[in-house]
Amino acid sequence: MAATTAPTTRRVALPRATAWVGLAGLLVVTAGLVLYLGRSTGFYYDEWNFVLERRAWDAHALLMPHNEHLSLVPVLIYKTLFSTAGIDSYVPYRVAGVIVHLIVLTLLFVYARRRVGDLLALGAVAIVAWLGPGWPDVMWPFQVGFLGSLAAGIGALLCLDRADRRGDIGASALLTVALASSSLGIPLCAAVALEVLGRPDRRARWWVLVAPAVLYALWWLGYHSSQNMESVDNLLATPAYVAEAAAAAMGAVFGLGPDWGRPLVLAFVAAMVLVLRRGGVAPWRLFALIVLPLLFWALTGLARADLHEPGAPRYLYPGAVFILLIAIEAARGVRVSRGALVALAVLLAAIALSNVGALRNGAGFLRDQTADLDGALAAVQLAAPHGVDPQFRPQPTVAPQIFAGSYLAAVKQLGSPAPAPSTLPRLFGRSRATADGTLRGAYGIALAPAPAKPAGAAPALENEAATKTTAKGACLSTRPLSPAATLDLTVPAGGIEIDGPAKVFVRRFGDQFPPDAVGDAPAGQPVALKIPSDAVTAPWHARLALGGSVRVCGL
């Protein structure tokens, strides 16, 4: 009787050239998608700290911490672009962010294909390429700090795989780059230290850690601030923070939220226990990779648990990459059937659809922020010739670090990212509304005591609601017919005098009057509304919410 043998599962492999062509296609699609979705976006939030505070080429500008991070590499990228491209266009900065993202994807592919083959490596890259829940790291160039640390960290692991002198030198240099890009370099260096010091040949390789550790320690002693010391409350909250961060990152890997991530984390932990019990993998590398995200989440919790943001989108990209690295290492040498690959392809397609939608939403958020800031900055440049308080904030909600004085100084040196003031009447509605608010603050528009005798063109009546209005000479007289009576006027160049009780609202470029009034005109005491003229001919408009009979005259 013939002996029977157990069926074997063959690994489905691609020719070497085909695998690289597939990666190249994926990278091209990723770059095109990210650049397209991010169209019409501009400098956002933290980037303004670089624009306003890092223009000088000195040690302070290069090494000053940003939110406690050593940000030397991102600062160098931005300063190089300041010197070559200026800040008139945001496109070069977006291209730089996409390039660093593609470097991370390429290194992840190289790392994965050596362990699980080309097809699974391409699948891992596809998950990270369009990681919608982690959209800030994909769509916002400022996150080159996190991505730079990730790229350098994966590169360091690949260098250690060489197990030779050149590889060790490369790993040491790349760990230095990881630390110089963001504080994400700290857990990456700690993970490498666990591997190097846990290997049998640690006596020959310990020096890999010396240069990055010493250089970072010197920076810490010279520049790091101890003002934001971690609180006891953060320490006690860190375990829960780590658990929630793990759930959020695991959910992001599958294009899902943290509620789905919690059971997936439990299943993942159970799988890792089985892998470690079975053996057959390099224990020092797998152990180091398991510690890596735990340390990242723990350090973040110690610093920021009080902010209750374990699932913040900017933390999901590194968390997802770390989880994939663990899975790749644990699955080293795995054999996957064609049927399993088909199932994985269907799963990846579903994840991709979810992720692209989330990327689109993130890009929309950045576009809205840019639209608000475009109107505010264009308005500041319009008002600049009339003198603007250097401490005036054009848009304290979207960019509280921007003051008129420092912004105009940056514009003089680097160019202007804002639309030309002459285009204000044609901008998006939210840009025009923001410009109105900024001009109101820059010009200090308010009601003031009226001159002795009004003399000027009569204000043009635009609209009235529940009023009875008559014109006589340079004045309009109106009385309310209901408590909701309003009168809309075009403000003449000289301004208007208001005699009678009314709340006064103004707009210029916006479609709607804002909810906050410039002041209350009292009864029996005439007041004036005067607005400086500027280079744009578009008139101002006023709305009077009547509290009684009112006379309005041109000044």
Side-chain angles (χ1 to χ4, degrees), residues 128-190:
V128 179
W130 314 318
L131 192 71
W135 63 265
D137 298 311
V138 179
M139 303 298 306
W140 187 25
F142 182 79
Q143 291 300 100
V144 293
F146 267 13
L147 300 193
S149 291
L150 279 173
I154 298 172
L157 293 174
L158 289 169
C159 286
L160 289 178
D161 286 344
R162 292 172 55 98
D164 61 14
R165 175 71 59 162
R166 288 185 178 181
D168 289 350
I169 293 173
S172 184
L174 287 170
L175 289 176
T176 303
V177 172
L179 287 169
S181 298
S182 74
S183 294
L184 187 58
I186 296 175
L188 286 163
C189 284

Short mmCIF file of all heavy atoms in Angstrom, two decimals, residues 128-190:
data_model
loop_
_atom_site.label_atom_id
_atom_site.label_comp_id
_atom_site.label_asym_id
_atom_site.label_seq_id
_atom_site.Cartn_x
_atom_site.Cartn_y
_atom_site.Cartn_z
N VAL A 128 -0.81 50.93 4.45
CA VAL A 128 -0.21 52.17 4.97
C VAL A 128 -0.31 53.29 3.95
O VAL A 128 -0.43 54.46 4.31
CB VAL A 128 1.25 51.92 5.37
CG1 VAL A 128 1.90 53.20 5.90
CG2 VAL A 128 1.34 50.82 6.42
N ALA A 129 -0.26 52.95 2.66
CA ALA A 129 -0.22 53.97 1.61
C ALA A 129 -1.40 54.93 1.71
O ALA A 129 -1.25 56.14 1.53
CB ALA A 129 -0.18 53.31 0.24
N TRP A 130 -2.59 54.41 1.98
CA TRP A 130 -3.80 55.24 2.02
C TRP A 130 -4.44 55.13 3.40
O TRP A 130 -5.66 54.98 3.52
CB TRP A 130 -4.78 54.78 0.94
CG TRP A 130 -4.15 54.56 -0.39
CD1 TRP A 130 -3.19 55.34 -0.99
CD2 TRP A 130 -4.39 53.47 -1.29
NE1 TRP A 130 -2.84 54.81 -2.20
CE2 TRP A 130 -3.56 53.67 -2.43
CE3 TRP A 130 -5.23 52.37 -1.27
CZ2 TRP A 130 -3.54 52.80 -3.51
CZ3 TRP A 130 -5.22 51.51 -2.34
CH2 TRP A 130 -4.39 51.73 -3.45
N LEU A 131 -3.66 55.21 4.43
CA LEU A 131 -4.16 55.00 5.79
C LEU A 131 -5.06 56.16 6.19
O LEU A 131 -4.63 57.12 6.83
CB LEU A 131 -3.00 54.84 6.77
CG LEU A 131 -3.39 54.32 8.15
CD1 LEU A 131 -3.78 52.85 8.08
CD2 LEU A 131 -2.25 54.50 9.14
N GLY A 132 -6.33 56.06 5.82
CA GLY A 132 -7.26 57.14 6.05
C GLY A 132 -7.40 57.58 7.49
O GLY A 132 -7.38 58.78 7.77
N PRO A 133 -7.53 56.66 8.47
CA PRO A 133 -7.64 57.11 9.86
C PRO A 133 -6.42 57.92 10.32
O PRO A 133 -6.55 58.75 11.21
CB PRO A 133 -7.76 55.78 10.64
CG PRO A 133 -8.36 54.83 9.66
CD PRO A 133 -7.77 55.20 8.34
N GLY A 134 -5.27 57.67 9.72
CA GLY A 134 -4.06 58.44 10.05
C GLY A 134 -3.78 59.54 9.04
O GLY A 134 -2.63 59.82 8.73
N TRP A 135 -4.83 60.20 8.56
CA TRP A 135 -4.71 61.13 7.44
C TRP A 135 -3.71 62.27 7.68
O TRP A 135 -3.07 62.73 6.71
CB TRP A 135 -6.08 61.70 7.06
CG TRP A 135 -6.74 62.52 8.13
CD1 TRP A 135 -7.64 62.10 9.05
CD2 TRP A 135 -6.53 63.91 8.40
NE1 TRP A 135 -8.01 63.12 9.88
CE2 TRP A 135 -7.34 64.25 9.49
CE3 TRP A 135 -5.74 64.90 7.81
CZ2 TRP A 135 -7.38 65.55 10.03
CZ3 TRP A 135 -5.77 66.20 8.34
CH2 TRP A 135 -6.59 66.50 9.43
N PRO A 136 -3.51 62.80 8.90
CA PRO A 136 -2.55 63.91 9.01
C PRO A 136 -1.15 63.51 8.56
O PRO A 136 -0.44 64.31 7.92
CB PRO A 136 -2.57 64.25 10.51
CG PRO A 136 -3.91 63.80 10.99
CD PRO A 136 -4.18 62.55 10.20
N ASP A 137 -0.73 62.27 8.86
CA ASP A 137 0.62 61.84 8.47
C ASP A 137 0.74 61.63 6.97
O ASP A 137 1.83 61.69 6.42
CB ASP A 137 0.98 60.56 9.22
CG ASP A 137 1.00 60.76 10.72
OD1 ASP A 137 1.62 61.72 11.17
OD2 ASP A 137 0.37 59.96 11.43
N VAL A 138 -0.38 61.37 6.30
CA VAL A 138 -0.37 61.17 4.86
C VAL A 138 -0.55 62.49 4.12
O VAL A 138 0.11 62.76 3.11
CB VAL A 138 -1.47 60.17 4.44
CG1 VAL A 138 -1.48 59.97 2.93
CG2 VAL A 138 -1.28 58.83 5.15
N MET A 139 -1.44 63.35 4.62
CA MET A 139 -1.86 64.55 3.88
C MET A 139 -1.12 65.82 4.31
O MET A 139 -1.09 66.78 3.53
CB MET A 139 -3.37 64.78 4.07
CG MET A 139 -4.25 63.63 3.65
SD MET A 139 -4.12 63.21 1.90
CE MET A 139 -4.46 64.77 1.13
N TRP A 140 -0.57 65.87 5.51
CA TRP A 140 -0.03 67.12 6.05
C TRP A 140 1.50 67.06 6.04
O TRP A 140 2.09 66.26 6.77
CB TRP A 140 -0.56 67.32 7.47
CG TRP A 140 -0.22 68.63 8.09
CD1 TRP A 140 0.07 69.81 7.48
CD2 TRP A 140 -0.14 68.89 9.50
NE1 TRP A 140 0.32 70.79 8.40
CE2 TRP A 140 0.20 70.25 9.65
CE3 TRP A 140 -0.33 68.10 10.64
CZ2 TRP A 140 0.36 70.84 10.90
CZ3 TRP A 140 -0.17 68.69 11.88
CH2 TRP A 140 0.16 70.05 12.01
N PRO A 141 2.17 67.88 5.24
CA PRO A 141 3.64 67.80 5.14
C PRO A 141 4.37 67.97 6.46
O PRO A 141 5.48 67.45 6.62
CB PRO A 141 3.98 68.95 4.17
CG PRO A 141 2.74 69.15 3.37
CD PRO A 141 1.60 68.85 4.29
N PHE A 142 3.78 68.69 7.41
CA PHE A 142 4.47 68.89 8.68
C PHE A 142 4.82 67.58 9.36
O PHE A 142 5.78 67.50 10.14
CB PHE A 142 3.59 69.74 9.61
CG PHE A 142 4.23 70.04 10.94
CD1 PHE A 142 5.19 71.03 11.04
CD2 PHE A 142 3.90 69.31 12.07
CE1 PHE A 142 5.80 71.31 12.26
CE2 PHE A 142 4.50 69.57 13.29
CZ PHE A 142 5.45 70.58 13.38
N GLN A 143 4.07 66.53 9.07
CA GLN A 143 4.31 65.24 9.71
C GLN A 143 5.52 64.51 9.14
O GLN A 143 5.74 63.34 9.46
CB GLN A 143 3.06 64.37 9.62
CG GLN A 143 1.90 64.88 10.47
CD GLN A 143 2.24 64.97 11.94
OE1 GLN A 143 2.54 66.04 12.45
NE2 GLN A 143 2.23 63.85 12.63
N VAL A 144 6.33 65.17 8.32
CA VAL A 144 7.60 64.56 7.90
C VAL A 144 8.47 64.23 9.11
O VAL A 144 9.39 63.41 9.01
CB VAL A 144 8.38 65.46 6.92
CG1 VAL A 144 7.65 65.60 5.61
CG2 VAL A 144 8.69 66.83 7.54
N GLY A 145 8.19 64.85 10.26
CA GLY A 145 8.93 64.50 11.47
C GLY A 145 8.67 63.06 11.88
O GLY A 145 9.61 62.25 12.02
N PHE A 146 7.40 62.70 12.05
CA PHE A 146 7.05 61.31 12.38
C PHE A 146 7.51 60.36 11.28
O PHE A 146 8.08 59.30 11.54
CB PHE A 146 5.54 61.19 12.57
CG PHE A 146 5.08 61.36 14.00
CD1 PHE A 146 5.93 61.86 14.96
CD2 PHE A 146 3.79 61.03 14.37
CE1 PHE A 146 5.51 62.03 16.27
CE2 PHE A 146 3.35 61.18 15.68
CZ PHE A 146 4.22 61.68 16.62
N LEU A 147 7.21 60.74 10.02
CA LEU A 147 7.54 59.84 8.92
C LEU A 147 9.04 59.70 8.76
O LEU A 147 9.54 58.62 8.40
CB LEU A 147 6.91 60.35 7.62
CG LEU A 147 5.39 60.49 7.59
CD1 LEU A 147 4.91 60.69 6.17
CD2 LEU A 147 4.71 59.28 8.20
N GLY A 148 9.79 60.77 8.99
CA GLY A 148 11.24 60.68 8.92
C GLY A 148 11.79 59.72 9.97
O GLY A 148 12.70 58.92 9.69
N SER A 149 11.25 59.78 11.18
CA SER A 149 11.68 58.83 12.22
C SER A 149 11.34 57.39 11.82
O SER A 149 12.16 56.48 12.01
CB SER A 149 11.00 59.17 13.55
OG SER A 149 11.49 60.38 14.09
N LEU A 150 10.15 57.19 11.28
CA LEU A 150 9.75 55.84 10.86
C LEU A 150 10.66 55.31 9.75
O LEU A 150 11.11 54.16 9.81
CB LEU A 150 8.30 55.84 10.38
CG LEU A 150 7.22 55.79 11.46
CD1 LEU A 150 5.85 55.98 10.82
CD2 LEU A 150 7.28 54.48 12.22
N ALA A 151 10.90 56.14 8.73
CA ALA A 151 11.76 55.71 7.63
C ALA A 151 13.15 55.36 8.14
O ALA A 151 13.72 54.31 7.78
CB ALA A 151 11.84 56.81 6.57
N ALA A 152 13.71 56.22 8.99
CA ALA A 152 15.05 55.95 9.51
C ALA A 152 15.06 54.72 10.40
O ALA A 152 16.01 53.93 10.39
CB ALA A 152 15.55 57.17 10.29
N GLY A 153 13.99 54.51 11.18
CA GLY A 153 13.93 53.34 12.06
C GLY A 153 13.85 52.04 11.29
O GLY A 153 14.56 51.06 11.61
N ILE A 154 12.99 51.99 10.26
CA ILE A 154 12.92 50.77 9.43
C ILE A 154 14.23 50.55 8.71
O ILE A 154 14.72 49.41 8.60
CB ILE A 154 11.75 50.87 8.43
CG1 ILE A 154 10.42 50.99 9.18
CG2 ILE A 154 11.72 49.64 7.52
CD1 ILE A 154 9.23 51.29 8.27
N GLY A 155 14.84 51.64 8.23
CA GLY A 155 16.15 51.52 7.58
C GLY A 155 17.20 50.97 8.52
O GLY A 155 18.05 50.15 8.11
N ALA A 156 17.15 51.40 9.79
CA ALA A 156 18.11 50.88 10.76
C ALA A 156 17.93 49.38 10.97
O ALA A 156 18.91 48.62 11.09
CB ALA A 156 17.95 51.63 12.08
N LEU A 157 16.67 48.92 11.03
CA LEU A 157 16.43 47.48 11.18
C LEU A 157 16.96 46.70 9.97
O LEU A 157 17.55 45.61 10.13
CB LEU A 157 14.93 47.22 11.34
CG LEU A 157 14.28 47.75 12.63
CD1 LEU A 157 12.78 47.55 12.58
CD2 LEU A 157 14.88 47.08 13.86
N LEU A 158 16.79 47.26 8.77
CA LEU A 158 17.32 46.60 7.58
C LEU A 158 18.85 46.57 7.60
O LEU A 158 19.46 45.59 7.17
CB LEU A 158 16.83 47.33 6.32
CG LEU A 158 15.33 47.15 6.00
CD1 LEU A 158 14.90 48.11 4.91
CD2 LEU A 158 15.05 45.71 5.59
N CYS A 159 19.46 47.64 8.11
CA CYS A 159 20.92 47.64 8.22
C CYS A 159 21.40 46.58 9.21
O CYS A 159 22.40 45.90 8.97
CB CYS A 159 21.40 49.03 8.65
SG CYS A 159 21.33 50.28 7.36
N LEU A 160 20.68 46.41 10.32
CA LEU A 160 21.06 45.39 11.29
C LEU A 160 20.95 43.99 10.69
O LEU A 160 21.68 43.07 11.09
CB LEU A 160 20.19 45.49 12.54
CG LEU A 160 20.43 46.71 13.45
CD1 LEU A 160 19.45 46.70 14.61
CD2 LEU A 160 21.86 46.74 13.97
N ASP A 161 20.02 43.81 9.74
CA ASP A 161 19.87 42.51 9.09
C ASP A 161 21.16 42.10 8.37
O ASP A 161 21.39 40.89 8.16
CB ASP A 161 18.72 42.54 8.08
CG ASP A 161 17.36 42.53 8.77
OD1 ASP A 161 17.30 42.20 9.97
OD2 ASP A 161 16.36 42.86 8.10
N ARG A 162 21.96 43.05 7.96
CA ARG A 162 23.20 42.74 7.24
C ARG A 162 24.21 42.00 8.13
O ARG A 162 25.02 41.21 7.64
CB ARG A 162 23.85 44.01 6.71
CG ARG A 162 23.08 44.69 5.60
CD ARG A 162 23.70 46.06 5.28
NE ARG A 162 25.12 45.93 4.97
CZ ARG A 162 25.63 45.89 3.73
NH1 ARG A 162 24.82 45.96 2.69
NH2 ARG A 162 26.93 45.79 3.55
N ALA A 163 24.16 42.31 9.45
CA ALA A 163 25.07 41.67 10.41
C ALA A 163 26.54 41.85 10.01
O ALA A 163 27.33 40.93 10.12
CB ALA A 163 24.73 40.18 10.56
N ASP A 164 26.89 43.05 9.55
CA ASP A 164 28.29 43.35 9.25
C ASP A 164 28.60 44.77 9.69
O ASP A 164 27.73 45.51 10.15
CB ASP A 164 28.59 43.14 7.76
CG ASP A 164 27.77 44.03 6.84
OD1 ASP A 164 27.14 45.00 7.34
OD2 ASP A 164 27.74 43.77 5.63
N ARG A 165 29.84 45.17 9.55
CA ARG A 165 30.30 46.48 10.01
C ARG A 165 29.57 47.62 9.28
O ARG A 165 29.14 48.57 9.91
CB ARG A 165 31.81 46.58 9.80
CG ARG A 165 32.40 47.93 10.12
CD ARG A 165 32.42 48.25 11.59
NE ARG A 165 33.16 47.28 12.36
CZ ARG A 165 33.62 47.50 13.60
NH1 ARG A 165 33.41 48.66 14.17
NH2 ARG A 165 34.25 46.55 14.26
N ARG A 166 29.44 47.51 7.97
CA ARG A 166 28.75 48.56 7.23
C ARG A 166 27.29 48.70 7.67
O ARG A 166 26.78 49.81 7.80
CB ARG A 166 28.82 48.27 5.73
CG ARG A 166 30.20 48.47 5.11
CD ARG A 166 30.13 48.28 3.61
NE ARG A 166 31.43 48.51 2.99
CZ ARG A 166 31.66 48.43 1.68
NH1 ARG A 166 30.65 48.11 0.86
NH2 ARG A 166 32.86 48.65 1.20
N GLY A 167 26.65 47.59 7.88
CA GLY A 167 25.27 47.63 8.33
C GLY A 167 25.14 48.28 9.69
O GLY A 167 24.23 49.08 9.94
N ASP A 168 26.07 47.97 10.59
CA ASP A 168 26.02 48.56 11.93
C ASP A 168 26.25 50.07 11.87
O ASP A 168 25.61 50.84 12.59
CB ASP A 168 27.06 47.90 12.83
CG ASP A 168 26.67 46.47 13.18
OD1 ASP A 168 25.53 46.07 12.89
OD2 ASP A 168 27.52 45.75 13.74
N ILE A 169 27.18 50.50 11.02
CA ILE A 169 27.43 51.94 10.87
C ILE A 169 26.18 52.63 10.32
O ILE A 169 25.78 53.70 10.79
CB ILE A 169 28.64 52.19 9.95
CG1 ILE A 169 29.93 51.69 10.63
CG2 ILE A 169 28.77 53.67 9.60
CD1 ILE A 169 31.15 51.73 9.74
N GLY A 170 25.56 52.01 9.32
CA GLY A 170 24.33 52.57 8.76
C GLY A 170 23.22 52.64 9.79
O GLY A 170 22.48 53.63 9.86
N ALA A 171 23.09 51.59 10.60
CA ALA A 171 22.05 51.59 11.63
C ALA A 171 22.27 52.71 12.63
O ALA A 171 21.33 53.40 13.04
CB ALA A 171 22.02 50.23 12.34
N SER A 172 23.52 52.91 13.04
CA SER A 172 23.83 53.97 13.99
C SER A 172 23.49 55.35 13.41
O SER A 172 22.88 56.19 14.08
CB SER A 172 25.31 53.91 14.37
OG SER A 172 25.61 54.86 15.37
N ALA A 173 23.86 55.56 12.14
CA ALA A 173 23.57 56.85 11.51
C ALA A 173 22.06 57.07 11.38
O ALA A 173 21.55 58.16 11.63
CB ALA A 173 24.24 56.91 10.14
N LEU A 174 21.33 56.02 11.00
CA LEU A 174 19.89 56.17 10.80
C LEU A 174 19.15 56.37 12.12
O LEU A 174 18.15 57.08 12.18
CB LEU A 174 19.35 54.95 10.06
CG LEU A 174 19.71 54.90 8.58
CD1 LEU A 174 19.34 53.56 7.97
CD2 LEU A 174 19.01 56.03 7.83
N LEU A 175 19.63 55.76 13.19
CA LEU A 175 19.02 56.01 14.49
C LEU A 175 19.22 57.47 14.91
O LEU A 175 18.34 58.07 15.54
CB LEU A 175 19.61 55.07 15.54
CG LEU A 175 19.21 53.60 15.42
CD1 LEU A 175 19.92 52.77 16.47
CD2 LEU A 175 17.69 53.43 15.56
N THR A 176 20.36 58.03 14.55
CA THR A 176 20.59 59.45 14.82
C THR A 176 19.59 60.30 14.05
O THR A 176 19.04 61.28 14.58
CB THR A 176 22.03 59.84 14.43
OG1 THR A 176 22.95 59.00 15.15
CG2 THR A 176 22.31 61.30 14.76
N VAL A 177 19.34 59.94 12.81
CA VAL A 177 18.35 60.66 12.00
C VAL A 177 16.95 60.50 12.62
O VAL A 177 16.17 61.46 12.66
CB VAL A 177 18.36 60.15 10.55
CG1 VAL A 177 17.20 60.75 9.75
CG2 VAL A 177 19.69 60.47 9.88
N ALA A 178 16.63 59.31 13.09
CA ALA A 178 15.32 59.07 13.70
C ALA A 178 15.11 59.98 14.91
O ALA A 178 14.04 60.57 15.08
CB ALA A 178 15.18 57.60 14.10
N LEU A 179 16.12 60.10 15.74
CA LEU A 179 16.02 60.97 16.92
C LEU A 179 15.97 62.44 16.53
O LEU A 179 15.34 63.24 17.22
CB LEU A 179 17.20 60.72 17.85
CG LEU A 179 17.19 59.41 18.63
CD1 LEU A 179 18.53 59.17 19.29
CD2 LEU A 179 16.08 59.41 19.67
N ALA A 180 16.63 62.81 15.44
CA ALA A 180 16.66 64.21 15.00
C ALA A 180 15.40 64.59 14.24
O ALA A 180 15.24 65.76 13.89
CB ALA A 180 17.89 64.45 14.12
N SER A 181 14.51 63.64 13.97
CA SER A 181 13.28 63.93 13.24
C SER A 181 12.10 64.18 14.18
O SER A 181 11.29 65.06 13.93
CB SER A 181 12.94 62.78 12.29
OG SER A 181 13.95 62.61 11.32
N SER A 182 11.98 63.41 15.23
CA SER A 182 10.90 63.58 16.20
C SER A 182 11.18 62.68 17.39
O SER A 182 12.07 61.82 17.35
CB SER A 182 9.54 63.21 15.59
OG SER A 182 9.42 61.79 15.45
N SER A 183 10.39 62.84 18.44
CA SER A 183 10.55 61.99 19.63
C SER A 183 10.13 60.56 19.38
O SER A 183 10.34 59.69 20.24
CB SER A 183 9.76 62.57 20.81
OG SER A 183 10.30 63.82 21.20
N LEU A 184 9.52 60.28 18.23
CA LEU A 184 9.25 58.90 17.85
C LEU A 184 10.55 58.11 17.73
O LEU A 184 10.54 56.87 17.82
CB LEU A 184 8.49 58.88 16.52
CG LEU A 184 7.96 57.55 16.01
CD1 LEU A 184 7.02 56.90 17.01
CD2 LEU A 184 7.25 57.75 14.68
N GLY A 185 11.66 58.81 17.54
CA GLY A 185 12.95 58.14 17.49
C GLY A 185 13.33 57.48 18.81
O GLY A 185 14.14 56.53 18.81
N ILE A 186 12.77 57.95 19.93
CA ILE A 186 13.13 57.37 21.22
C ILE A 186 12.69 55.91 21.33
O ILE A 186 13.52 55.03 21.64
CB ILE A 186 12.55 58.22 22.37
CG1 ILE A 186 13.17 59.62 22.35
CG2 ILE A 186 12.80 57.55 23.73
CD1 ILE A 186 12.56 60.57 23.38
N PRO A 187 11.41 55.58 21.11
CA PRO A 187 11.04 54.15 21.17
C PRO A 187 11.73 53.33 20.09
O PRO A 187 12.02 52.15 20.30
CB PRO A 187 9.53 54.15 21.01
CG PRO A 187 9.18 55.47 20.42
CD PRO A 187 10.21 56.42 20.93
N LEU A 188 12.00 53.91 18.92
CA LEU A 188 12.72 53.18 17.88
C LEU A 188 14.13 52.83 18.34
O LEU A 188 14.59 51.69 18.16
CB LEU A 188 12.77 54.01 16.60
CG LEU A 188 11.45 54.09 15.82
CD1 LEU A 188 11.48 55.24 14.83
CD2 LEU A 188 11.18 52.78 15.09
N CYS A 189 14.81 53.78 18.96
CA CYS A 189 16.16 53.49 19.48
C CYS A 189 16.10 52.48 20.62
O CYS A 189 16.97 51.61 20.73
CB CYS A 189 16.82 54.78 19.96
SG CYS A 189 17.41 55.82 18.62
N ALA A 190 15.08 52.59 21.46
CA ALA A 190 14.96 51.64 22.56
C ALA A 190 14.73 50.22 22.03
O ALA A 190 15.28 49.24 22.56
CB ALA A 190 13.81 52.05 23.47
#
